């Protein structure tokens, strides 16, 4: 008589102990799926994981990403700098990372050949005279402050207004109009996160990114220019944005307050 029991055991062993009639055995469990896949939705072929993608979106949406304003995204930039630089390069953008100041930003790539231009996603907006004066003042305040840590300098709206007033030409008699221009300059620097909001609407922290916007050489250049034009009537003349590796002044999509 044939031993059918032994034959049945041998067939089962061929399936490594998995019952071929158990429907649940044919469906891979969550922890058994390919861990190399970064898919987050149906049809997703992206090659960045979720934290890296959020960092990429933050770099595209905001003028800069810093350890203070976007802590999680900043860590992702440090962990995946090469991958993020590659993705931005695909869009004709360059990634700049300042680890000392803990800030990262994008810049439009420039062709080495003048005959070849690249499509642009960024729009360079010149600073107004008031914005330039405020930027130089904030940079001077940061330079004079010796406290450790980023974004520690706090300024009041009134002191900014007072400083800019010192550059008002003698022929400028419409104080309300001039103060309105300064208020617009402050608001633009807030949306660009050069000035960081606190719980007091008239007090702001100075973001360390202003050191990147105005390196020392450019700071001295603008300071000299402002001194020479202090008596000029051209109070609304635009000022070209600093050349070099600096973030553009663009508005952020979110609007968060910080405690003083």
């Amino acid at each position: 008589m044939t031993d059918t029991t032994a034959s049945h055991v041998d067939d089962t062993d061929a399936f490594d102990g998995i019952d071929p009639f158990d429907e649940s055995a044919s469906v891979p469990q969550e922890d058994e799926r390919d861990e190399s896949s970064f898919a987050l939705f149906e049809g997703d072929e992206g090659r960045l994981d979720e934290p890296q993608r959020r960092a990429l979106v933050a770099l595209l949406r905001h003028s800069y990403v810093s350890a203070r304003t976007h802590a999680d995204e900043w860590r992702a930039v440090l962990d995946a700098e090469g991958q993020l630089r590659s993705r931005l390069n695909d869009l004709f953008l360059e990634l700049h990372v300042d680890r000392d100041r803990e800030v990262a930003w994008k810049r439009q790539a420039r062709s080495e050949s003048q005959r070849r231009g690249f499509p642009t996603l960024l729009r360079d907006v010149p600073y107004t005279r008031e914005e330039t004066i405020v930027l130089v003042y904030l940079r001077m305040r940061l330079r004079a402050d010796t406290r450790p840590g980023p974004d520690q300098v706090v300024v009041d709206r009134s002191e900014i207004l007072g400083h800019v007033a010192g550059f008002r030409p003698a022929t400028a008699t419409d104080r309300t109009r001039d103060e309105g221009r300064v208020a617009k300059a402050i608001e633009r620097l807030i949306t660009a996160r050069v000035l960081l909001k606190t719980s007091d609407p008239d007090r702001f922290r100075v973001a360390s990114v202003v050191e990147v916007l105005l390196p020392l050489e450019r700071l001295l250049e603008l300071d000299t220019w402002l001194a020479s034009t202090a008596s000029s009537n051209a109070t609304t003349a635009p000022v070209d944005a600093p050349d070099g590796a600096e973030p553009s002044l663009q508005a952020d999509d979110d609007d968060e307050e910080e405690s003083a």
Side-chain angles (χ1 to χ4, degrees), residues 123-161:
R123 182 169 60 96
D124 290 332
V125 180
Y127 304 105
T128 66
R129 185 172 185 273
E130 287 75 20
E131 289 165 355
T132 303
I133 294 172
V134 176
L135 278 170
V136 170
Y137 175 68
L138 299 178
R139 180 66 171 88
M140 290 290 194
R141 285 291 307 272
L142 277 181
R143 188 183 180 198
D145 192 271
T146 58
R147 285 176 294 180
D151 311 338
Q152 295 301 309
V153 177
V154 177
V155 295
D156 294 326
R157 186 184 298 271
S158 59
E159 67 179 281
I160 295 176
L161 288 168

mmCIF file of all heavy atoms in Angstrom, residues 123-161:
data_model
loop_
_atom_site.group_PDB
_atom_site.id
_atom_site.type_symbol
_atom_site.label_atom_id
_atom_site.label_comp_id
_atom_site.label_asym_id
_atom_site.label_seq_id
_atom_site.Cartn_x
_atom_site.Cartn_y
_atom_site.Cartn_z
ATOM 1 N N ARG A 123 11.396 85.455 -10.108
ATOM 2 C CA ARG A 123 11.300 86.810 -10.639
ATOM 3 C C ARG A 123 12.083 87.748 -9.735
ATOM 4 O O ARG A 123 11.794 87.882 -8.553
ATOM 5 C CB ARG A 123 9.831 87.247 -10.712
ATOM 6 C CG ARG A 123 9.619 88.633 -11.302
ATOM 7 C CD ARG A 123 8.138 88.861 -11.577
ATOM 8 N NE ARG A 123 7.345 88.754 -10.372
ATOM 9 C CZ ARG A 123 6.983 89.808 -9.626
ATOM 10 N NH1 ARG A 123 7.373 91.013 -9.961
ATOM 11 N NH2 ARG A 123 6.233 89.638 -8.557
ATOM 12 N N ASP A 124 13.107 88.372 -10.287
ATOM 13 C CA ASP A 124 13.902 89.322 -9.522
ATOM 14 C C ASP A 124 13.139 90.633 -9.404
ATOM 15 O O ASP A 124 12.795 91.259 -10.407
ATOM 16 C CB ASP A 124 15.246 89.581 -10.202
ATOM 17 C CG ASP A 124 16.167 88.374 -10.128
ATOM 18 O OD1 ASP A 124 16.028 87.608 -9.172
ATOM 19 O OD2 ASP A 124 17.005 88.205 -11.023
ATOM 20 N N VAL A 125 12.858 91.028 -8.168
ATOM 21 C CA VAL A 125 12.144 92.272 -7.908
ATOM 22 C C VAL A 125 13.113 93.239 -7.235
ATOM 23 O O VAL A 125 13.670 92.924 -6.187
ATOM 24 C CB VAL A 125 10.922 92.035 -6.997
ATOM 25 C CG1 VAL A 125 10.188 93.347 -6.739
ATOM 26 C CG2 VAL A 125 9.983 91.013 -7.631
ATOM 27 N N PRO A 126 13.356 94.407 -7.840
ATOM 28 C CA PRO A 126 14.316 95.340 -7.238
ATOM 29 C C PRO A 126 13.816 95.866 -5.899
ATOM 30 O O PRO A 126 12.618 96.035 -5.687
ATOM 31 C CB PRO A 126 14.427 96.456 -8.282
ATOM 32 C CG PRO A 126 13.133 96.394 -9.040
ATOM 33 C CD PRO A 126 12.754 94.949 -9.074
ATOM 34 N N TYR A 127 14.737 96.126 -5.005
ATOM 35 C CA TYR A 127 14.380 96.738 -3.737
ATOM 36 C C TYR A 127 14.016 98.208 -3.963
ATOM 37 O O TYR A 127 14.639 98.887 -4.782
ATOM 38 C CB TYR A 127 15.551 96.679 -2.762
ATOM 39 C CG TYR A 127 16.101 95.317 -2.482
ATOM 40 C CD1 TYR A 127 17.304 94.903 -3.032
ATOM 41 C CD2 TYR A 127 15.426 94.433 -1.651
ATOM 42 C CE1 TYR A 127 17.834 93.653 -2.782
ATOM 43 C CE2 TYR A 127 15.941 93.184 -1.387
ATOM 44 C CZ TYR A 127 17.135 92.791 -1.952
ATOM 45 O OH TYR A 127 17.643 91.551 -1.694
ATOM 46 N N THR A 128 13.057 98.697 -3.218
ATOM 47 C CA THR A 128 12.817 100.131 -3.205
ATOM 48 C C THR A 128 13.875 100.784 -2.330
ATOM 49 O O THR A 128 14.619 100.119 -1.607
ATOM 50 C CB THR A 128 11.426 100.455 -2.638
ATOM 51 O OG1 THR A 128 11.378 100.080 -1.252
ATOM 52 C CG2 THR A 128 10.326 99.709 -3.402
ATOM 53 N N ARG A 129 13.935 102.095 -2.391
ATOM 54 C CA ARG A 129 14.917 102.817 -1.586
ATOM 55 C C ARG A 129 14.679 102.559 -0.095
ATOM 56 O O ARG A 129 15.628 102.338 0.665
ATOM 57 C CB ARG A 129 14.844 104.316 -1.879
ATOM 58 C CG ARG A 129 15.906 105.167 -1.185
ATOM 59 C CD ARG A 129 15.866 106.594 -1.697
ATOM 60 N NE ARG A 129 16.939 107.391 -1.140
ATOM 61 C CZ ARG A 129 16.878 108.039 0.016
ATOM 62 N NH1 ARG A 129 15.773 107.939 0.745
ATOM 63 N NH2 ARG A 129 17.895 108.753 0.455
ATOM 64 N N GLU A 130 13.410 102.552 0.311
ATOM 65 C CA GLU A 130 13.091 102.315 1.721
ATOM 66 C C GLU A 130 13.484 100.907 2.144
ATOM 67 O O GLU A 130 14.009 100.705 3.243
ATOM 68 C CB GLU A 130 11.595 102.553 1.973
ATOM 69 C CG GLU A 130 11.160 104.014 1.950
ATOM 70 C CD GLU A 130 11.097 104.583 0.539
ATOM 71 O OE1 GLU A 130 11.022 103.790 -0.431
ATOM 72 O OE2 GLU A 130 11.133 105.818 0.405
ATOM 73 N N GLU A 131 13.229 99.928 1.290
ATOM 74 C CA GLU A 131 13.609 98.544 1.611
ATOM 75 C C GLU A 131 15.115 98.414 1.750
ATOM 76 O O GLU A 131 15.607 97.712 2.640
ATOM 77 C CB GLU A 131 13.091 97.604 0.524
ATOM 78 C CG GLU A 131 11.578 97.427 0.550
ATOM 79 C CD GLU A 131 11.035 96.797 -0.714
ATOM 80 O OE1 GLU A 131 11.820 96.583 -1.659
ATOM 81 O OE2 GLU A 131 9.823 96.534 -0.763
ATOM 82 N N THR A 132 15.837 99.105 0.894
ATOM 83 C CA THR A 132 17.296 99.057 0.963
ATOM 84 C C THR A 132 17.792 99.658 2.268
ATOM 85 O O THR A 132 18.677 99.107 2.930
ATOM 86 C CB THR A 132 17.912 99.811 -0.228
ATOM 87 O OG1 THR A 132 17.430 99.241 -1.440
ATOM 88 C CG2 THR A 132 19.427 99.717 -0.195
ATOM 89 N N ILE A 133 17.224 100.787 2.652
ATOM 90 C CA ILE A 133 17.631 101.432 3.903
ATOM 91 C C ILE A 133 17.361 100.523 5.092
ATOM 92 O O ILE A 133 18.200 100.368 5.992
ATOM 93 C CB ILE A 133 16.896 102.782 4.078
ATOM 94 C CG1 ILE A 133 17.331 103.773 2.992
ATOM 95 C CG2 ILE A 133 17.173 103.376 5.461
ATOM 96 C CD1 ILE A 133 16.526 105.061 2.979
ATOM 97 N N VAL A 134 16.172 99.893 5.091
ATOM 98 C CA VAL A 134 15.822 99.003 6.200
ATOM 99 C C VAL A 134 16.744 97.782 6.222
ATOM 100 O O VAL A 134 17.223 97.372 7.283
ATOM 101 C CB VAL A 134 14.352 98.566 6.108
ATOM 102 C CG1 VAL A 134 14.029 97.559 7.210
ATOM 103 C CG2 VAL A 134 13.423 99.773 6.230
ATOM 104 N N LEU A 135 17.018 97.200 5.062
ATOM 105 C CA LEU A 135 17.903 96.041 4.997
ATOM 106 C C LEU A 135 19.298 96.377 5.530
ATOM 107 O O LEU A 135 19.885 95.599 6.297
ATOM 108 C CB LEU A 135 18.014 95.538 3.562
ATOM 109 C CG LEU A 135 16.895 94.620 3.064
ATOM 110 C CD1 LEU A 135 17.021 94.401 1.566
ATOM 111 C CD2 LEU A 135 16.922 93.284 3.796
ATOM 112 N N VAL A 136 19.817 97.505 5.126
ATOM 113 C CA VAL A 136 21.144 97.913 5.607
ATOM 114 C C VAL A 136 21.120 98.121 7.119
ATOM 115 O O VAL A 136 22.048 97.712 7.829
ATOM 116 C CB VAL A 136 21.611 99.192 4.878
ATOM 117 C CG1 VAL A 136 22.871 99.761 5.532
ATOM 118 C CG2 VAL A 136 21.875 98.899 3.405
ATOM 119 N N TYR A 137 20.045 98.711 7.620
ATOM 120 C CA TYR A 137 19.929 98.934 9.063
ATOM 121 C C TYR A 137 19.881 97.602 9.813
ATOM 122 O O TYR A 137 20.581 97.419 10.823
ATOM 123 C CB TYR A 137 18.673 99.744 9.349
ATOM 124 C CG TYR A 137 18.399 99.923 10.825
ATOM 125 C CD1 TYR A 137 19.237 100.692 11.625
ATOM 126 C CD2 TYR A 137 17.293 99.307 11.434
ATOM 127 C CE1 TYR A 137 18.990 100.852 12.981
ATOM 128 C CE2 TYR A 137 17.042 99.467 12.779
ATOM 129 C CZ TYR A 137 17.885 100.237 13.548
ATOM 130 O OH TYR A 137 17.646 100.386 14.896
ATOM 131 N N LEU A 138 19.083 96.655 9.314
ATOM 132 C CA LEU A 138 18.986 95.350 9.972
ATOM 133 C C LEU A 138 20.320 94.616 9.939
ATOM 134 O O LEU A 138 20.718 93.973 10.915
ATOM 135 C CB LEU A 138 17.912 94.505 9.285
ATOM 136 C CG LEU A 138 16.481 95.062 9.312
ATOM 137 C CD1 LEU A 138 15.541 94.124 8.549
ATOM 138 C CD2 LEU A 138 15.994 95.277 10.732
ATOM 139 N N ARG A 139 21.016 94.730 8.818
ATOM 140 C CA ARG A 139 22.326 94.078 8.705
ATOM 141 C C ARG A 139 23.318 94.692 9.684
ATOM 142 O O ARG A 139 24.132 93.983 10.297
ATOM 143 C CB ARG A 139 22.825 94.216 7.264
ATOM 144 C CG ARG A 139 24.194 93.581 7.007
ATOM 145 C CD ARG A 139 24.121 92.068 7.166
ATOM 146 N NE ARG A 139 25.355 91.442 6.712
ATOM 147 C CZ ARG A 139 26.431 91.236 7.492
ATOM 148 N NH1 ARG A 139 26.407 91.621 8.761
ATOM 149 N NH2 ARG A 139 27.510 90.661 7.009
ATOM 150 N N MET A 140 23.269 96.003 9.842
ATOM 151 C CA MET A 140 24.144 96.675 10.793
ATOM 152 C C MET A 140 23.832 96.224 12.223
ATOM 153 O O MET A 140 24.747 96.010 13.036
ATOM 154 C CB MET A 140 23.987 98.191 10.666
ATOM 155 C CG MET A 140 24.548 98.778 9.387
ATOM 156 S SD MET A 140 26.354 98.733 9.347
ATOM 157 C CE MET A 140 26.673 99.853 7.966
ATOM 158 N N ARG A 141 22.554 96.079 12.525
ATOM 159 C CA ARG A 141 22.160 95.630 13.869
ATOM 160 C C ARG A 141 22.689 94.224 14.137
ATOM 161 O O ARG A 141 23.187 93.930 15.230
ATOM 162 C CB ARG A 141 20.637 95.658 13.998
ATOM 163 C CG ARG A 141 20.033 97.042 14.151
ATOM 164 C CD ARG A 141 20.398 97.664 15.508
ATOM 165 N NE ARG A 141 20.063 96.778 16.606
ATOM 166 C CZ ARG A 141 18.871 96.750 17.223
ATOM 167 N NH1 ARG A 141 17.913 97.567 16.823
ATOM 168 N NH2 ARG A 141 18.644 95.916 18.214
ATOM 169 N N LEU A 142 22.571 93.341 13.164
ATOM 170 C CA LEU A 142 23.095 91.987 13.332
ATOM 171 C C LEU A 142 24.608 91.990 13.503
ATOM 172 O O LEU A 142 25.157 91.248 14.316
ATOM 173 C CB LEU A 142 22.733 91.121 12.121
ATOM 174 C CG LEU A 142 21.345 90.485 12.090
ATOM 175 C CD1 LEU A 142 21.185 89.649 10.832
ATOM 176 C CD2 LEU A 142 21.099 89.624 13.313
ATOM 177 N N ARG A 143 25.265 92.825 12.737
ATOM 178 C CA ARG A 143 26.720 92.887 12.802
ATOM 179 C C ARG A 143 27.192 93.384 14.161
ATOM 180 O O ARG A 143 28.228 92.945 14.683
ATOM 181 C CB ARG A 143 27.234 93.808 11.699
ATOM 182 C CG ARG A 143 28.749 93.802 11.531
ATOM 183 C CD ARG A 143 29.174 94.786 10.480
ATOM 184 N NE ARG A 143 30.615 94.791 10.300
ATOM 185 C CZ ARG A 143 31.283 95.772 9.701
ATOM 186 N NH1 ARG A 143 30.641 96.813 9.217
ATOM 187 N NH2 ARG A 143 32.590 95.694 9.583
ATOM 188 N N ALA A 144 26.431 94.292 14.761
ATOM 189 C CA ALA A 144 26.824 94.867 16.048
ATOM 190 C C ALA A 144 26.469 93.977 17.226
ATOM 191 O O ALA A 144 27.036 94.126 18.315
ATOM 192 C CB ALA A 144 26.168 96.238 16.222
ATOM 193 N N ASP A 145 25.545 93.042 17.023
ATOM 194 C CA ASP A 145 25.092 92.194 18.125
ATOM 195 C C ASP A 145 26.022 91.001 18.285
ATOM 196 O O ASP A 145 26.405 90.366 17.306
ATOM 197 C CB ASP A 145 23.661 91.704 17.861
ATOM 198 C CG ASP A 145 23.049 91.081 19.098
ATOM 199 O OD1 ASP A 145 23.228 89.863 19.280
ATOM 200 O OD2 ASP A 145 22.406 91.803 19.870
ATOM 201 N N THR A 146 26.366 90.682 19.503
ATOM 202 C CA THR A 146 27.310 89.589 19.767
ATOM 203 C C THR A 146 26.662 88.404 20.469
ATOM 204 O O THR A 146 27.356 87.461 20.849
ATOM 205 C CB THR A 146 28.481 90.100 20.629
ATOM 206 O OG1 THR A 146 27.966 90.642 21.861
ATOM 207 C CG2 THR A 146 29.264 91.182 19.894
ATOM 208 N N ARG A 147 25.349 88.435 20.655
ATOM 209 C CA ARG A 147 24.695 87.321 21.332
ATOM 210 C C ARG A 147 24.704 86.081 20.460
ATOM 211 O O ARG A 147 24.504 86.168 19.252
ATOM 212 C CB ARG A 147 23.252 87.691 21.676
ATOM 213 C CG ARG A 147 23.115 88.650 22.843
ATOM 214 C CD ARG A 147 21.675 89.046 23.066
ATOM 215 N NE ARG A 147 21.171 89.830 21.944
ATOM 216 C CZ ARG A 147 19.927 90.312 21.869
ATOM 217 N NH1 ARG A 147 19.071 90.048 22.835
ATOM 218 N NH2 ARG A 147 19.554 91.044 20.840
ATOM 219 N N PRO A 148 24.932 84.913 21.061
ATOM 220 C CA PRO A 148 24.986 83.681 20.273
ATOM 221 C C PRO A 148 23.603 83.244 19.808
ATOM 222 O O PRO A 148 22.583 83.602 20.400
ATOM 223 C CB PRO A 148 25.583 82.669 21.261
ATOM 224 C CG PRO A 148 25.164 83.169 22.610
ATOM 225 C CD PRO A 148 25.189 84.675 22.499
ATOM 226 N N GLY A 149 23.590 82.472 18.758
ATOM 227 C CA GLY A 149 22.337 81.918 18.255
ATOM 228 C C GLY A 149 21.736 82.781 17.165
ATOM 229 O O GLY A 149 21.891 84.010 17.168
ATOM 230 N N PRO A 150 21.026 82.149 16.213
ATOM 231 C CA PRO A 150 20.411 82.891 15.113
ATOM 232 C C PRO A 150 19.137 83.600 15.536
ATOM 233 O O PRO A 150 18.458 83.188 16.472
ATOM 234 C CB PRO A 150 20.108 81.789 14.088
ATOM 235 C CG PRO A 150 19.882 80.569 14.924
ATOM 236 C CD PRO A 150 20.810 80.696 16.097
ATOM 237 N N ASP A 151 18.825 84.685 14.833
ATOM 238 C CA ASP A 151 17.536 85.392 14.979
ATOM 239 C C ASP A 151 17.315 85.899 16.402
ATOM 240 O O ASP A 151 16.192 85.845 16.920
ATOM 241 C CB ASP A 151 16.369 84.499 14.562
ATOM 242 C CG ASP A 151 16.582 83.827 13.225
ATOM 243 O OD1 ASP A 151 17.386 84.339 12.435
ATOM 244 O OD2 ASP A 151 15.951 82.783 12.979
ATOM 245 N N GLN A 152 18.352 86.408 17.045
ATOM 246 C CA GLN A 152 18.228 86.882 18.416
ATOM 247 C C GLN A 152 18.021 88.390 18.516
ATOM 248 O O GLN A 152 17.630 88.892 19.558
ATOM 249 C CB GLN A 152 19.474 86.486 19.217
ATOM 250 C CG GLN A 152 19.651 84.991 19.381
ATOM 251 C CD GLN A 152 18.466 84.343 20.081
ATOM 252 O OE1 GLN A 152 18.037 84.787 21.133
ATOM 253 N NE2 GLN A 152 17.932 83.297 19.478
ATOM 254 N N VAL A 153 18.304 89.122 17.453
ATOM 255 C CA VAL A 153 18.169 90.580 17.486
ATOM 256 C C VAL A 153 16.698 90.959 17.290
ATOM 257 O O VAL A 153 16.043 90.478 16.365
ATOM 258 C CB VAL A 153 19.041 91.231 16.404
ATOM 259 C CG1 VAL A 153 18.846 92.748 16.397
ATOM 260 C CG2 VAL A 153 20.505 90.890 16.641
ATOM 261 N N VAL A 154 16.196 91.830 18.168
ATOM 262 C CA VAL A 154 14.807 92.278 18.103
ATOM 263 C C VAL A 154 14.788 93.780 17.817
ATOM 264 O O VAL A 154 15.547 94.546 18.419
ATOM 265 C CB VAL A 154 14.062 91.983 19.419
ATOM 266 C CG1 VAL A 154 12.635 92.521 19.365
ATOM 267 C CG2 VAL A 154 14.060 90.485 19.702
ATOM 268 N N VAL A 155 13.932 94.193 16.884
ATOM 269 C CA VAL A 155 13.800 95.613 16.544
ATOM 270 C C VAL A 155 12.340 96.023 16.663
ATOM 271 O O VAL A 155 11.434 95.205 16.511
ATOM 272 C CB VAL A 155 14.313 95.902 15.121
ATOM 273 C CG1 VAL A 155 15.805 95.641 15.009
ATOM 274 C CG2 VAL A 155 13.549 95.085 14.084
ATOM 275 N N ASP A 156 12.124 97.301 16.932
ATOM 276 C CA ASP A 156 10.778 97.861 17.020
ATOM 277 C C ASP A 156 10.437 98.582 15.725
ATOM 278 O O ASP A 156 11.313 99.128 15.040
ATOM 279 C CB ASP A 156 10.673 98.852 18.184
ATOM 280 C CG ASP A 156 10.827 98.179 19.529
ATOM 281 O OD1 ASP A 156 10.397 97.027 19.655
ATOM 282 O OD2 ASP A 156 11.386 98.814 20.437
ATOM 283 N N ARG A 157 9.162 98.613 15.411
ATOM 284 C CA ARG A 157 8.703 99.345 14.225
ATOM 285 C C ARG A 157 9.091 100.809 14.315
ATOM 286 O O ARG A 157 9.514 101.419 13.322
ATOM 287 C CB ARG A 157 7.187 99.200 14.084
ATOM 288 C CG ARG A 157 6.617 99.812 12.801
ATOM 289 C CD ARG A 157 5.097 99.711 12.809
ATOM 290 N NE ARG A 157 4.647 98.327 12.848
ATOM 291 C CZ ARG A 157 4.432 97.584 11.766
ATOM 292 N NH1 ARG A 157 4.627 98.109 10.558
ATOM 293 N NH2 ARG A 157 4.009 96.342 11.877
ATOM 294 N N SER A 158 8.975 101.387 15.512
ATOM 295 C CA SER A 158 9.263 102.809 15.685
ATOM 296 C C SER A 158 10.725 103.136 15.404
ATOM 297 O O SER A 158 11.043 104.179 14.817
ATOM 298 C CB SER A 158 8.897 103.259 17.101
ATOM 299 O OG SER A 158 9.625 102.521 18.064
ATOM 300 N N GLU A 159 11.632 102.257 15.796
ATOM 301 C CA GLU A 159 13.049 102.536 15.545
ATOM 302 C C GLU A 159 13.380 102.403 14.070
ATOM 303 O O GLU A 159 14.251 103.116 13.556
ATOM 304 C CB GLU A 159 13.949 101.641 16.393
ATOM 305 C CG GLU A 159 13.920 100.165 16.076
ATOM 306 C CD GLU A 159 14.869 99.366 16.957
ATOM 307 O OE1 GLU A 159 16.081 99.372 16.673
ATOM 308 O OE2 GLU A 159 14.388 98.750 17.929
ATOM 309 N N ILE A 160 12.686 101.511 13.364
ATOM 310 C CA ILE A 160 12.891 101.415 11.918
ATOM 311 C C ILE A 160 12.401 102.692 11.240
ATOM 312 O O ILE A 160 13.085 103.266 10.383
ATOM 313 C CB ILE A 160 12.158 100.178 11.349
ATOM 314 C CG1 ILE A 160 12.765 98.889 11.903
ATOM 315 C CG2 ILE A 160 12.225 100.189 9.819
ATOM 316 C CD1 ILE A 160 12.034 97.635 11.474
ATOM 317 N N LEU A 161 11.210 103.148 11.629
ATOM 318 C CA LEU A 161 10.676 104.389 11.066
ATOM 319 C C LEU A 161 11.605 105.560 11.343
ATOM 320 O O LEU A 161 11.862 106.398 10.468
ATOM 321 C CB LEU A 161 9.286 104.663 11.646
ATOM 322 C CG LEU A 161 8.142 103.766 11.161
ATOM 323 C CD1 LEU A 161 6.903 103.968 12.026
ATOM 324 C CD2 LEU A 161 7.821 104.066 9.698
#
